Amino acid sequence: AHKARILCLDFKKDGSTLASGDDRGQVLMHAVEKAAKYPRLKHEGDVLCLSFAPDASYLASGESLFGKGVLTIRRPRNTDVDGTMSEFVVDKSFTCEGKILCLSSSHPMGELIAIGGPKCGVCVRNVEDGNIRLLEHESATGKDGVNSVAFSRDASRIACGVGCSIVVRSIKTGDIITMLRHDESTNGIFSLDFSPCGTMLASGDDNCCETIRKFSSPTVSATFHHPKKCQSPAFSPVISAHFARS
């Protein structure tokens, strides 16, 4: 069990394993349906975000350490016959300016990874060689602060929450496809998720508002209000319904 505040969660894509990170640098793995002994992964700073690769080939973590952001990619060294990942080793590590507030692994094979933060902007890297595919330091909206990133399921587009706006870019060219806005009183969009078909985008902000719309249109399809900041809306992978947590 954790002995500190839990800051982030992510499920392995088959739903068998849950990873959780806390503000004392600990990442714990939890088996969902069976008792299993998983490794405890130690970090030097606060673990602010986690992301399993879609094919479970790695676990990525973003931490804050002495004013720097550290992205670490760990791969399972040993996998038991029942699928339990009994040991993880550090494969790659990258640093950036400021905190890494969000990260996302691309679909379908996890070949790209994106990070976002108030100083590092948005950075998309190839996982295998570490080369940068897209780097955006200047805010396209004139406001600082990237608080959320999400790939479309086919990894052709990336959405970024910047200030009160959502910027959708092409991964191939880096060009802006569209910009969508929340209410002007919003200070940050803290969560994003594309629908499985790639046509809808869910977003949550610090005004307790969750919005669902077509990413190519400013027209809002649905709005839900929550008692607190909406931190993690997500579409179901198999049906059109979605789930949101405040």
Side-chain angles (χ1 to χ4, degrees):
H2 286 274
K3 296 182 180 180
R5 187 164 56 113
I6 296 173
L7 301 177
C8 52
L9 300 167
D10 194 47
F11 273 104
K12 190 178 170 184
K13 302 312 176 190
D14 64 3
S16 65
T17 307
L18 175 68
S20 56
D22 65 31
D23 62 2
R24 291 187 181 177
Q26 296 284 346
V27 172
L28 303 185
M29 314 283 265
H30 315 269
V32 174
E33 295 184 351
K34 62 183 178 181
K37 185 178 181 180
Y38 285 102
R40 183 184 294 260
L41 308 178
K42 178 63 179 173
H43 296 68
E44 295 297 322
D46 299 348
V47 181
L48 301 178
C49 43
L50 292 167
S51 180
F52 276 106
D55 62 355
S57 61
Y58 64 79
L59 174 66
S61 58
E63 63 181 301
S64 173
L65 181 63
F66 303 119
K68 296 285 187 179
V70 181
L71 169 65
T72 303
I73 296 173
R74 288 177 168 85
R75 296 188 184 273
R77 174 179 287 174
N78 298 317
T79 302
D80 299 338
V81 291
D82 63 354
T84 301
M85 295 172 289
S86 57
E87 185 180 2
F88 277 81
V89 293
V90 175
D91 180 42
K92 296 178 180 68
S93 184
F94 308 98
T95 60
C96 65
E97 290 295 323
K99 296 179 179 180
I100 297 176
L101 295 181
C102 49
L103 64 88
S104 178
S105 300
S106 70
H107 292 255
M109 296 302 294
E111 65 272 12
L112 298 177
I113 192 163
I115 63 170
K119 291 186 178 180
C120 67
V122 179
C123 178
V124 179
R125 291 181 182 270
N126 287 316
V127 173
E128 290 301 323
D129 57 22
N131 288 337
I132 294 175
R133 286 278 298 274
L134 186 153
L135 182 64
E136 180 65 37
H137 283 294
E138 297 296 329
S139 167
T141 64
K143 290 187 177 182
D144 295 326
V146 176
N147 292 306
S148 52
V149 292
F151 284 104
S152 61
R153 296 299 197 266
D154 62 1
S156 65
R157 301 179 297 273
I158 185 170
C160 312
V162 187
C164 64
S165 297
I166 302 168
V167 182
V168 182
R169 290 182 178 273
S170 164
I171 292 295
K172 184 176 181 179
T173 66
D175 294 339
I176 294 176
I177 299 172
T178 189
M179 289 178 60
L180 309 169
R181 297 186 70 84
H182 275 232
D183 189 272
E184 289 289 346
S185 62
T186 299
N187 292 317
I189 296 170
F190 288 88
S191 47
L192 293 165
D193 191 38
F194 278 95
S195 64
C197 64
T199 61
M200 306 294 288
L201 188 64
S203 55
D205 64 30
D206 65 345
N207 264 354
C208 315
C209 182
E210 176 196 2
T211 301
I212 301 174
R213 69 182 98 197
K214 289 185 177 181
F215 88 89
S216 59
S217 169
T219 303
V220 175
S221 300
T223 301
F224 305 94
H225 293 278
H226 298 265
K228 295 182 179 180
K229 180 173 65 176
C230 186
Q231 292 182 310
S232 53
F235 282 96
S236 165
V238 292
I239 58 176
S240 59
H242 74 286
F243 168 77
R245 177 176 66 85
S246 294

